[in-house]
Amino acid sequence: GSGNTWARMLLEYGSGRFTGSTYDDIDLMRLMPGEGRDDSSVIAVKTHVYPREFMPRVQPTGVMFLVRHPFNALWAEFQRRKSGGHASALEQMPAS
């Protein structure tokens, strides 16, 4: 993990708006209602799509590039797989 799910959660809690994604992660949809949206209804969109394919379609006003130390990213990915996915960890968060 690069931490993009946590970054999205921080954006959502901080802004009061949903974040979207070019993916349809069913596990995240029940926790993050903007999952699967990639239009102006969301404050940010997670994607790994090549910019030349994605950006002309949505015409973003900015880009956020999230980078982590490779060891930390590998450890997070190991933990995600061991725990059953990123959504299982998010479900354990207390409601605000």
Side-chain angles (χ1 to χ4, degrees):
S2 64
N4 64 68
T5 302
W6 284 109
R8 288 177 62 192
M9 292 295 292
L10 289 172
L11 282 170
E12 289 192 7
Y13 280 95
S15 70
R17 293 187 57 201
F18 295 136
T19 62
S21 168
T22 57
Y23 312 101
D24 295 323
D25 187 329
I26 295 169
D27 292 332
L28 284 180
M29 284 182 175
R30 62 182 189 272
L31 300 169
M32 302 174 85
E35 176 67 16
R37 295 186 199 172
D38 63 356
D39 54 30
S40 62
S41 69
V42 294
I43 193 171
V45 177
K46 171 200 167 181
T47 189
H48 298 284
V49 176
Y50 189 61
R52 205 176 299 167
E53 296 173 20
F54 177 70
M55 290 184 163
R57 184 167 49 91
V58 297
Q59 299 179 355
T61 57
V63 174
M64 182 185 330
F65 188 65
L66 185 61
V67 179
R68 285 184 69 188
H69 188 282
F71 176 80
N72 295 338
L74 286 170
W75 180 248
E77 179 62 14
F78 171 78
Q79 292 296 323
R80 183 185 71 83
R81 290 181 185 209
K82 185 178 172 186
S83 71
H86 44 236
S88 63
L90 292 174
E91 288 173 344
Q92 297 172 17
M93 290 179 52
S96 57

Coordinates of all heavy atoms in Angstrom, one line a residue:
G1 N 0.7 -1.2 0.0 CA 0.0 0.0 0.0 C 0.8 1.3 0.0 O 1.8 1.5 0.7
S2 N 0.3 2.2 -0.8 CA 0.9 3.5 -0.9 C 0.2 4.5 0.1 O 0.7 5.6 0.3 CB 0.8 4.1 -2.3 OG -0.6 4.2 -2.6
G3 N -0.9 4.0 0.7 CA -1.6 4.9 1.6 C -2.7 5.7 1.0 O -3.2 6.7 1.6
N4 N -3.0 5.4 -0.3 CA -4.0 6.2 -1.0 C -5.4 6.1 -0.3 O -6.2 7.1 -0.3 CB -4.1 5.9 -2.4 CG -4.5 4.5 -2.8 OD1 -5.7 4.2 -2.5 ND2 -3.6 3.7 -3.3
T5 N -5.8 5.0 0.3 CA -7.1 4.9 0.9 C -7.1 5.8 2.1 O -8.1 6.5 2.4 CB -7.4 3.4 1.3 OG1 -7.3 2.6 0.1 CG2 -8.7 3.3 2.0
W6 N -6.0 5.8 2.9 CA -6.0 6.7 4.1 C -6.0 8.2 3.6 O -6.6 9.0 4.2 CB -4.7 6.5 4.9 CG -4.9 5.2 5.7 CD1 -4.2 4.0 5.5 CD2 -5.7 5.0 6.8 NE1 -4.6 3.1 6.5 CE2 -5.6 3.7 7.3 CE3 -6.6 5.9 7.5 CZ2 -6.3 3.2 8.4 CZ3 -7.3 5.3 8.6 CH2 -7.1 4.0 9.0
A7 N -5.3 8.5 2.6 CA -5.3 9.9 2.0 C -6.7 10.3 1.6 O -7.1 11.4 1.9 CB -4.3 10.0 0.9
R8 N -7.4 9.3 1.0 CA -8.8 9.6 0.6 C -9.6 9.9 1.8 O -10.5 10.7 1.8 CB -9.3 8.5 -0.3 CG -8.7 8.4 -1.7 CD -9.2 7.3 -2.5 NE -10.6 7.3 -2.7 CZ -11.3 6.3 -3.1 NH1 -10.8 5.2 -3.4 NH2 -12.6 6.4 -3.3
M9 N -9.5 9.0 2.8 CA -10.3 9.2 4.0 C -10.0 10.6 4.7 O -10.9 11.3 5.1 CB -10.0 8.1 5.1 CG -10.4 6.7 4.6 SD -12.2 6.5 4.5 CE -12.7 6.7 6.2
L10 N -8.7 11.0 4.7 CA -8.4 12.3 5.3 C -9.1 13.4 4.5 O -9.6 14.4 5.0 CB -6.9 12.5 5.3 CG -6.2 11.7 6.4 CD1 -4.6 11.8 6.2 CD2 -6.6 12.1 7.8
L11 N -9.0 13.3 3.1 CA -9.7 14.3 2.3 C -11.2 14.3 2.5 O -11.8 15.4 2.6 CB -9.4 14.0 0.8 CG -8.0 14.4 0.3 CD1 -7.8 13.8 -1.1 CD2 -7.9 15.9 0.2
E12 N -11.8 13.2 2.6 CA -13.2 13.1 2.9 C -13.6 13.7 4.2 O -14.5 14.5 4.3 CB -13.7 11.7 2.7 CG -13.7 11.2 1.3 CD -14.5 9.9 1.1 OE1 -15.2 9.4 2.0 OE2 -14.4 9.4 -0.1
Y13 N -12.9 13.3 5.3 CA -13.3 13.8 6.6 C -13.0 15.3 6.7 O -13.7 16.1 7.3 CB -12.5 13.1 7.7 CG -13.1 11.7 8.0 CD1 -12.7 10.6 7.5 CD2 -14.2 11.7 9.0 CE1 -13.3 9.4 7.8 CE2 -14.8 10.5 9.3 CZ -14.3 9.3 8.7 OH -14.9 8.1 9.0
G14 N -11.9 15.7 6.1 CA -11.5 17.1 6.1 C -12.3 18.1 5.3 O -12.5 19.2 5.7
S15 N -12.8 17.6 4.2 CA -13.5 18.5 3.2 C -15.0 18.3 3.3 O -15.8 19.1 2.9 CB -13.1 18.2 1.8 OG -13.6 16.9 1.4
G16 N -15.5 17.1 3.8 CA -16.9 16.8 3.8 C -17.4 16.4 2.5 O -18.6 16.3 2.3
R17 N -16.5 16.2 1.5 CA -16.9 15.7 0.2 C -16.3 14.3 -0.1 O -15.3 14.0 0.5 CB -16.4 16.7 -0.9 CG -17.1 18.0 -0.8 CD -16.8 18.9 -1.9 NE -17.1 18.3 -3.2 CZ -16.5 18.7 -4.3 NH1 -15.6 19.7 -4.3 NH2 -16.8 18.2 -5.5
F18 N -16.9 13.6 -1.0 CA -16.5 12.2 -1.3 C -15.3 12.3 -2.2 O -15.1 13.3 -3.0 CB -17.6 11.4 -2.0 CG -18.7 11.1 -1.1 CD1 -20.0 11.2 -1.6 CD2 -18.6 10.7 0.2 CE1 -21.1 11.0 -0.8 CE2 -19.7 10.4 1.0 CZ -20.9 10.6 0.5
T19 N -14.4 11.2 -2.2 CA -13.4 11.0 -3.2 C -13.9 9.9 -4.1 O -14.6 9.1 -3.7 CB -12.1 10.7 -2.5 OG1 -12.2 9.5 -1.8 CG2 -11.6 11.8 -1.6
G20 N -13.3 9.9 -5.3 CA -13.7 8.8 -6.2 C -12.6 8.0 -6.7 O -11.5 8.1 -6.1
S21 N -12.8 7.1 -7.6 CA -11.8 6.2 -8.1 C -12.2 5.7 -9.5 O -13.4 5.6 -9.8 CB -11.7 5.0 -7.2 OG -11.0 4.0 -7.7
T22 N -11.3 5.4 -10.3 CA -11.6 4.8 -11.6 C -11.9 3.3 -11.5 O -12.1 2.6 -12.5 CB -10.4 5.0 -12.6 OG1 -9.2 4.5 -12.1 CG2 -10.3 6.5 -12.9
Y23 N -11.8 2.8 -10.3 CA -12.1 1.4 -10.0 C -13.4 1.2 -9.3 O -13.9 2.2 -8.7 CB -10.9 0.8 -9.2 CG -9.6 1.2 -9.7 CD1 -8.9 2.2 -9.2 CD2 -9.1 0.6 -10.9 CE1 -7.7 2.6 -9.7 CE2 -7.9 0.9 -11.4 CZ -7.2 2.0 -10.8 OH -6.0 2.4 -11.4
D24 N -13.9 0.0 -9.3 CA -15.2 -0.3 -8.6 C -14.9 -1.3 -7.5 O -15.3 -2.4 -7.6 CB -16.3 -0.8 -9.6 CG -16.7 0.2 -10.6 OD1 -16.7 1.4 -10.2 OD2 -16.9 -0.2 -11.7
D25 N -14.2 -0.8 -6.5 CA -13.8 -1.7 -5.3 C -15.1 -1.9 -4.4 O -15.4 -1.0 -3.7 CB -12.7 -1.1 -4.6 CG -12.1 -2.0 -3.5 OD1 -12.9 -2.8 -3.0 OD2 -10.9 -2.0 -3.2
I26 N -15.7 -3.0 -4.5 CA -17.0 -3.3 -3.8 C -16.7 -3.2 -2.3 O -17.6 -2.7 -1.6 CB -17.5 -4.6 -4.2 CG1 -18.0 -4.6 -5.7 CG2 -18.7 -5.0 -3.3 CD1 -18.3 -5.9 -6.3
D27 N -15.6 -3.6 -1.8 CA -15.3 -3.5 -0.4 C -15.3 -2.0 0.1 O -15.6 -1.7 1.2 CB -13.9 -4.2 -0.1 CG -14.0 -5.7 -0.2 OD1 -15.1 -6.2 -0.1 OD2 -12.9 -6.3 -0.5
L28 N -14.8 -1.1 -0.8 CA -14.7 0.3 -0.4 C -16.0 1.0 -0.6 O -16.3 2.0 0.1 CB -13.6 1.0 -1.2 CG -12.2 0.7 -0.7 CD1 -11.2 1.5 -1.6 CD2 -12.0 1.1 0.7
M29 N -16.9 0.5 -1.5 CA -18.1 1.2 -1.8 C -19.0 1.4 -0.6 O -19.7 2.5 -0.5 CB -18.9 0.5 -2.9 CG -18.3 0.7 -4.2 SD -19.3 -0.1 -5.5 CE -18.4 0.4 -7.0
R30 N -19.1 0.5 0.3 CA -19.9 0.7 1.5 C -19.4 1.6 2.5 O -20.1 2.2 3.3 CB -20.3 -0.7 2.1 CG -19.2 -1.4 2.6 CD -19.7 -2.8 3.2 NE -18.6 -3.5 3.9 CZ -17.7 -4.3 3.4 NH1 -17.8 -4.5 2.1 NH2 -16.8 -4.8 4.1
L31 N -18.0 1.8 2.4 CA -17.4 2.8 3.4 C -17.1 4.1 2.7 O -17.1 5.1 3.4 CB -16.0 2.2 3.8 CG -16.1 0.9 4.6 CD1 -14.7 0.3 4.7 CD2 -16.8 1.1 5.9
M32 N -16.9 4.2 1.4 CA -16.6 5.4 0.7 C -17.6 5.5 -0.5 O -17.3 4.9 -1.6 CB -15.2 5.4 0.2 CG -14.2 5.2 1.4 SD -12.5 5.0 0.8 CE -12.0 6.7 0.6
P33 N -18.7 6.1 -0.3 CA -19.7 6.2 -1.3 C -19.3 6.7 -2.7 O -20.0 6.4 -3.7 CB -20.8 7.1 -0.7 CG -20.6 7.0 0.8 CD -19.1 6.8 0.9
G34 N -18.2 7.5 -2.7 CA -17.8 8.0 -4.0 C -16.9 7.0 -4.8 O -16.6 7.3 -6.0
E35 N -16.6 5.8 -4.3 CA -15.8 4.8 -5.0 C -16.5 4.5 -6.3 O -17.7 4.3 -6.4 CB -15.7 3.6 -4.1 CG -15.0 2.4 -4.8 CD -13.5 2.7 -5.0 OE1 -12.9 3.6 -4.4 OE2 -12.9 2.0 -5.8
G36 N -15.7 4.5 -7.4 CA -16.3 4.2 -8.7 C -16.6 5.5 -9.5 O -16.8 5.4 -10.7
R37 N -16.7 6.6 -8.8 CA -17.0 7.9 -9.5 C -15.7 8.5 -10.0 O -14.7 8.5 -9.3 CB -17.7 8.9 -8.6 CG -19.1 8.4 -8.2 CD -19.7 9.5 -7.4 NE -20.8 9.0 -6.6 CZ -21.5 9.7 -5.7 NH1 -21.1 11.0 -5.4 NH2 -22.4 9.2 -5.0
D38 N -15.7 9.1 -11.2 CA -14.5 9.8 -11.7 C -15.0 11.0 -12.4 O -14.5 11.3 -13.5 CB -13.6 8.9 -12.5 CG -14.3 8.4 -13.8 OD1 -15.5 8.7 -13.9 OD2 -13.7 7.7 -14.6
D39 N -15.8 11.8 -11.8 CA -16.4 13.0 -12.4 C -16.3 14.2 -11.4 O -15.7 14.1 -10.4 CB -17.8 12.8 -12.9 CG -18.7 12.3 -11.8 OD1 -18.5 12.6 -10.6 OD2 -19.7 11.5 -12.1
S40 N -16.9 15.3 -11.7 CA -16.8 16.5 -10.9 C -17.6 16.4 -9.6 O -17.6 17.3 -8.8 CB -17.2 17.7 -11.7 OG -18.6 17.6 -12.1
S41 N -18.3 15.3 -9.4 CA -19.1 15.1 -8.1 C -18.2 14.8 -6.9 O -18.6 14.8 -5.8 CB -20.2 14.0 -8.3 OG -19.6 12.7 -8.4
V42 N -16.9 14.5 -7.2 CA -16.0 14.1 -6.1 C -14.8 15.1 -6.1 O -14.5 15.8 -7.1 CB -15.4 12.7 -6.3 CG1 -16.6 11.7 -6.1 CG2 -14.8 12.5 -7.6
I43 N -14.2 15.2 -4.9 CA -13.1 16.2 -4.7 C -11.8 15.7 -5.3 O -10.9 16.5 -5.7 CB -13.0 16.6 -3.2 CG1 -12.1 17.8 -3.1 CG2 -12.5 15.4 -2.4 CD1 -12.0 18.4 -1.7
A44 N -11.6 14.4 -5.4 CA -10.4 13.8 -5.9 C -10.7 12.4 -6.5 O -11.7 11.8 -6.0 CB -9.3 13.7 -4.8
V45 N -9.9 11.9 -7.4 CA -10.1 10.6 -8.0 C -8.8 9.8 -8.0 O -7.8 10.3 -8.4 CB -10.5 10.8 -9.5 CG1 -10.7 9.4 -10.2 CG2 -11.8 11.6 -9.6
K46 N -8.9 8.6 -7.4 CA -7.7 7.7 -7.4 C -7.7 7.0 -8.7 O -8.7 6.4 -9.2 CB -7.9 6.7 -6.2 CG -6.8 5.6 -6.3 CD -7.3 4.4 -5.5 CE -6.4 3.3 -5.9 NZ -6.8 2.1 -5.2
T47 N -6.5 6.9 -9.3 CA -6.3 6.2 -10.5 C -4.9 5.8 -10.7 O -4.0 6.4 -10.2 CB -6.8 7.0 -11.7 OG1 -6.8 6.1 -12.9 CG2 -6.0 8.2 -12.0
H48 N -4.7 4.7 -11.4 CA -3.4 4.3 -11.8 C -3.3 4.3 -13.4 O -2.4 3.9 -14.0 CB -3.0 2.9 -11.4 CG -3.0 2.7 -9.9 ND1 -2.0 3.2 -9.1 CD2 -3.9 2.2 -9.0 CE1 -2.2 2.9 -7.8 NE2 -3.4 2.3 -7.7
V49 N -4.4 4.9 -13.9 CA -4.5 5.0 -15.4 C -3.5 6.0 -15.9 O -3.2 7.0 -15.3 CB -5.9 5.4 -15.8 CG1 -6.1 5.6 -17.3 CG2 -6.9 4.4 -15.3
Y50 N -2.9 5.6 -17.1 CA -2.0 6.5 -17.7 C -2.6 7.9 -17.9 O -3.7 8.0 -18.5 CB -1.6 5.9 -19.1 CG -0.4 6.6 -19.7 CD1 0.8 6.7 -19.1 CD2 -0.6 7.1 -21.0 CE1 1.9 7.3 -19.7 CE2 0.5 7.7 -21.6 CZ 1.7 7.8 -21.0 OH 2.8 8.5 -21.6
P51 N -2.0 9.0 -17.5 CA -2.6 10.3 -17.6 C -3.1 10.7 -19.0 O -4.1 11.4 -19.1 CB -1.4 11.2 -17.2 CG -0.5 10.4 -16.3 CD -0.6 9.0 -16.9
R52 N -2.5 10.3 -20.0 CA -2.9 10.6 -21.4 C -4.3 10.1 -21.6 O -5.1 10.6 -22.4 CB -1.9 10.1 -22.4 CG -2.0 10.9 -23.7 CD -0.9 10.5 -24.7 NE 0.4 10.6 -24.1 CZ 1.5 10.1 -24.7 NH1 1.4 9.4 -25.8 NH2 2.7 10.3 -24.1
E53 N -4.7 9.0 -21.0 CA -6.0 8.4 -21.2 C -7.0 9.0 -20.3 O -8.2 9.2 -20.6 CB -5.9 6.9 -20.9 CG -5.1 6.1 -21.8 CD -4.9 4.6 -21.4 OE1 -5.7 4.2 -20.6 OE2 -4.0 4.0 -21.9
F54 N -6.6 9.3 -19.0 CA -7.6 9.7 -18.0 C -7.8 11.3 -18.0 O -9.0 11.7 -17.9 CB -7.1 9.3 -16.7 CG -7.9 9.7 -15.5 CD1 -9.2 9.2 -15.3 CD2 -7.5 10.7 -14.6 CE1 -10.0 9.6 -14.3 CE2 -8.3 11.1 -13.5 CZ -9.5 10.5 -13.4
M55 N -6.8 12.0 -18.0 CA -6.9 13.5 -17.8 C -7.7 14.2 -18.9 O -8.5 15.1 -18.5 CB -5.5 14.1 -17.7 CG -4.9 13.7 -16.4 SD -3.3 14.6 -16.1 CE -3.1 14.3 -14.4
P56 N -7.6 13.9 -20.2 CA -8.4 14.7 -21.1 C -9.9 14.5 -20.9 O -10.7 15.3 -21.2 CB -8.0 14.1 -22.5 CG -6.6 13.6 -22.3 CD -6.6 13.1 -20.8
R57 N -10.3 13.3 -20.4 CA -11.7 13.0 -20.2 C -12.3 13.8 -19.0 O -13.4 14.3 -19.1 CB -11.8 11.5 -19.9 CG -13.3 11.0 -19.8 CD -13.4 9.5 -19.9 NE -12.4 8.8 -19.0 CZ -12.7 8.4 -17.8 NH1 -13.9 8.7 -17.3 NH2 -11.8 7.8 -17.1
V58 N -11.5 13.9 -17.9 CA -12.1 14.6 -16.8 C -11.6 16.0 -16.6 O -12.1 16.8 -15.8 CB -11.8 13.8 -15.5 CG1 -12.4 12.4 -15.5 CG2 -10.3 13.7 -15.3
Q59 N -10.5 16.4 -17.3 CA -9.9 17.7 -17.2 C -9.7 18.2 -15.8 O -10.4 19.2 -15.3 CB -10.8 18.7 -18.0 CG -10.9 18.3 -19.4 CD -11.7 19.3 -20.3 OE1 -12.4 20.2 -19.7 NE2 -11.8 19.1 -21.5
P60 N -8.8 17.6 -15.0 CA -8.6 18.0 -13.6 C -8.0 19.3 -13.5 O -7.3 19.8 -14.4 CB -7.7 16.9 -13.1 CG -6.9 16.4 -14.3 CD -7.9 16.5 -15.4
T61 N -8.2 20.0 -12.3 CA -7.6 21.3 -12.1 C -6.3 21.1 -11.3 O -5.6 22.1 -11.1 CB -8.5 22.2 -11.3 OG1 -8.9 21.5 -10.1 CG2 -9.8 22.5 -12.1
G62 N -6.0 19.9 -10.9 CA -4.7 19.6 -10.1 C -4.5 18.2 -10.0 O -5.3 17.3 -10.4
V63 N -3.3 17.8 -9.6 CA -2.9 16.4 -9.5 C -2.2 16.3 -8.1 O -1.4 17.1 -7.7 CB -1.9 16.0 -10.6 CG1 -1.4 14.6 -10.4 CG2 -2.6 16.1 -11.9
M64 N -2.5 15.2 -7.4 CA -1.8 14.8 -6.2 C -1.1 13.5 -6.5 O -1.7 12.5 -7.0 CB -2.8 14.6 -5.1 CG -2.2 14.2 -3.8 SD -3.4 13.8 -2.4 CE -4.8 14.7 -2.8
F65 N 0.2 13.5 -6.2 CA 1.0 12.3 -6.5 C 1.5 11.8 -5.1 O 2.3 12.5 -4.4 CB 2.2 12.7 -7.4 CG 3.0 11.6 -7.9 CD1 2.5 10.6 -8.7 CD2 4.4 11.5 -7.5 CE1 3.3 9.6 -9.2 CE2 5.1 10.4 -8.0 CZ 4.6 9.5 -8.8
L66 N 1.1 10.6 -4.7 CA 1.4 10.1 -3.4 C 2.6 9.1 -3.6 O 2.5 8.1 -4.3 CB 0.2 9.4 -2.8 CG 0.3 8.8 -1.4 CD1 0.6 10.0 -0.4 CD2 -1.0 8.2 -1.1
V67 N 3.7 9.3 -2.8 CA 4.8 8.5 -2.9 C 5.2 8.1 -1.4 O 5.2 8.9 -0.5 CB 6.0 9.2 -3.5 CG1 7.2 8.3 -3.5 CG2 5.7 9.7 -4.9
R68 N 5.5 6.8 -1.2 CA 6.0 6.3 0.1 C 7.3 5.6 -0.1 O 7.7 5.1 -1.2 CB 5.0 5.3 0.7 CG 3.8 6.0 1.2 CD 2.8 5.1 1.9 NE 3.4 4.5 3.1 CZ 2.9 3.5 3.8 NH1 1.7 3.0 3.4 NH2 3.4 3.1 4.9
H69 N 8.0 5.5 1.0 CA 9.3 4.7 1.0 C 8.9 3.3 0.6 O 7.9 2.7 1.1 CB 9.9 4.7 2.4 CG 11.3 4.1 2.5 ND1 11.4 2.8 2.5 CD2 12.5 4.7 2.5 CE1 12.7 2.5 2.5 NE2 13.4 3.7 2.5
P70 N 9.7 2.6 -0.3 CA 9.3 1.3 -0.7 C 9.2 0.3 0.4 O 8.2 -0.6 0.3 CB 10.5 0.9 -1.6 CG 11.1 2.2 -2.1 CD 10.9 3.2 -0.9
F71 N 10.0 0.3 1.4 CA 9.8 -0.7 2.5 C 8.5 -0.5 3.2 O 7.8 -1.5 3.5 CB 11.0 -0.5 3.5 CG 10.8 -1.5 4.7 CD1 11.1 -2.8 4.6 CD2 10.2 -1.0 5.9 CE1 10.9 -3.6 5.7 CE2 10.0 -1.8 7.0 CZ 10.4 -3.2 6.9
N72 N 8.1 0.8 3.5 CA 6.9 1.0 4.2 C 5.7 0.6 3.3 O 4.7 0.1 3.8 CB 6.7 2.5 4.6 CG 7.8 2.9 5.6 OD1 8.3 2.1 6.3 ND2 8.1 4.2 5.6
A73 N 5.8 0.8 2.0 CA 4.7 0.4 1.1 C 4.6 -1.1 1.1 O 3.5 -1.6 1.1 CB 5.0 1.0 -0.3
L74 N 5.7 -1.8 1.0 CA 5.7 -3.3 1.0 C 5.1 -3.8 2.3 O 4.3 -4.8 2.3 CB 7.1 -3.8 0.7 CG 7.6 -3.7 -0.7 CD1 9.0 -4.1 -0.8 CD2 6.7 -4.6 -1.6
W75 N 5.5 -3.2 3.4 CA 5.0 -3.7 4.7 C 3.5 -3.5 4.8 O 2.7 -4.3 5.3 CB 5.7 -3.0 5.9 CG 5.2 -3.4 7.2 CD1 4.5 -2.6 8.1 CD2 5.4 -4.7 7.8 NE1 4.2 -3.4 9.2 CE2 4.7 -4.6 9.1 CE3 6.0 -5.9 7.4 CZ2 4.7 -5.7 9.9 CZ3 5.9 -7.0 8.3 CH2 5.3 -6.9 9.5
A76 N 3.0 -2.3 4.4 CA 1.6 -2.0 4.4 C 0.8 -3.0 3.5 O -0.3 -3.4 3.9 CB 1.3 -0.6 3.9
E77 N 1.4 -3.3 2.3 CA 0.7 -4.3 1.4 C 0.7 -5.6 2.1 O -0.4 -6.3 2.0 CB 1.4 -4.3 0.1 CG 0.9 -5.3 -0.9 CD -0.6 -5.0 -1.3 OE1 -1.1 -3.9 -1.0 OE2 -1.2 -5.9 -1.9
F78 N 1.7 -6.1 2.8 CA 1.7 -7.3 3.5 C 0.6 -7.3 4.5 O -0.1 -8.3 4.6 CB 3.1 -7.6 4.1 CG 3.1 -8.7 5.1 CD1 3.2 -10.0 4.6 CD2 3.1 -8.5 6.4 CE1 3.2 -11.1 5.5 CE2 3.1 -9.6 7.3 CZ 3.1 -10.9 6.8
Q79 N 0.5 -6.3 5.3 CA -0.5 -6.2 6.4 C -1.9 -6.2 5.8 O -2.8 -6.8 6.3 CB -0.3 -4.9 7.2 CG 1.0 -4.9 8.0 CD 0.9 -6.0 9.1 OE1 -0.1 -6.3 9.7 NE2 2.1 -6.7 9.3
R80 N -2.1 -5.5 4.6 CA -3.4 -5.4 4.0 C -3.8 -6.8 3.5 O -4.9 -7.3 3.8 CB -3.3 -4.5 2.8 CG -4.7 -4.4 2.1 CD -4.6 -3.5 0.8 NE -3.9 -4.2 -0.3 CZ -4.5 -5.1 -1.1 NH1 -5.7 -5.4 -0.9 NH2 -3.8 -5.7 -2.0
R81 N -2.9 -7.6 2.9 CA -3.2 -8.9 2.5 C -3.5 -9.9 3.7 O -4.3 -10.7 3.6 CB -2.1 -9.5 1.6 CG -2.1 -8.8 0.3 CD -1.0 -9.3 -0.6 NE -0.9 -8.5 -1.8 CZ -0.5 -9.0 -3.0 NH1 -0.1 -10.3 -3.1 NH2 -0.5 -8.3 -4.1
K82 N -2.7 -9.7 4.7 CA -2.8 -10.5 5.9 C -4.2 -10.3 6.6 O -4.8 -11.2 7.1 CB -1.7 -10.3 6.9 CG -1.6 -11.1 8.1 CD -0.4 -10.8 8.9 CE -0.4 -11.5 10.2 NZ 0.7 -11.1 11.1
S83 N -4.6 -9.0 6.6 CA -5.8 -8.7 7.4 C -7.1 -8.9 6.5 O -8.2 -8.8 7.1 CB -5.8 -7.2 7.8 OG -5.9 -6.3 6.7
G84 N -7.0 -9.2 5.3 CA -8.1 -9.4 4.5 C -8.6 -8.2 3.6 O -9.7 -8.2 3.1
G85 N -7.7 -7.2 3.5 CA -8.0 -6.0 2.7 C -8.1 -4.7 3.4 O -8.2 -4.7 4.6
H86 N -8.0 -3.6 2.7 CA -8.0 -2.3 3.3 C -9.3 -1.9 3.9 O -9.3 -1.2 4.9 CB -7.6 -1.2 2.3 CG -8.2 -1.3 0.9 ND1 -7.5 -1.4 -0.2 CD2 -9.5 -1.4 0.6 CE1 -8.3 -1.6 -1.2 NE2 -9.6 -1.6 -0.8
A87 N -10.4 -2.5 3.4 CA -11.7 -2.1 4.0 C -11.9 -2.7 5.4 O -12.5 -2.1 6.2 CB -12.8 -2.6 3.1
S88 N -11.3 -3.9 5.7 CA -11.4 -4.5 7.0 C -10.8 -3.6 8.0 O -11.3 -3.5 9.1 CB -10.8 -5.9 7.0 OG -9.4 -5.8 6.8
A89 N -9.7 -2.9 7.7 CA -9.1 -2.0 8.7 C -9.9 -0.8 8.9 O -10.0 -0.3 10.0 CB -7.6 -1.7 8.2
L90 N -10.5 -0.3 7.8 CA -11.3 0.9 7.9 C -12.6 0.7 8.7 O -13.1 1.6 9.4 CB -11.7 1.4 6.5 CG -10.5 2.0 5.7 CD1 -11.0 2.3 4.3 CD2 -9.9 3.2 6.3
E91 N -13.1 -0.5 8.6 CA -14.4 -0.8 9.3 C -14.1 -0.8 10.8 O -15.1 -0.6 11.6 CB -14.9 -2.2 8.9 CG -15.5 -2.2 7.5 CD -15.9 -3.6 7.1 OE1 -15.4 -4.6 7.6 OE2 -16.6 -3.6 6.1
Q92 N -12.9 -0.9 11.3 CA -12.6 -0.9 12.7 C -12.4 0.5 13.2 O -12.3 0.6 14.4 CB -11.3 -1.8 12.9 CG -11.5 -3.2 12.6 CD -10.2 -4.0 12.6 OE1 -9.3 -3.6 13.2 NE2 -10.2 -5.2 12.0
M93 N -12.4 1.5 12.4 CA -12.2 2.9 12.8 C -13.5 3.3 13.5 O -14.6 3.0 13.1 CB -12.0 3.8 11.6 CG -10.7 3.6 11.0 SD -10.5 4.7 9.6 CE -10.9 6.3 10.3
P94 N -13.3 4.1 14.6 CA -14.5 4.6 15.3 C -15.2 5.6 14.5 O -14.6 6.4 13.7 CB -13.9 5.2 16.6 CG -12.5 5.5 16.3 CD -12.1 4.5 15.2
A95 N -16.5 5.7 14.5 CA -17.3 6.6 13.8 C -17.1 8.0 14.4 O -17.0 8.1 15.6 CB -18.8 6.3 13.8
S96 N -17.1 9.0 13.6 CA -16.9 10.4 14.2 C -18.3 11.1 14.2 O -19.2 10.8 13.6 CB -15.9 11.2 13.3 OG -16.3 11.2 12.0

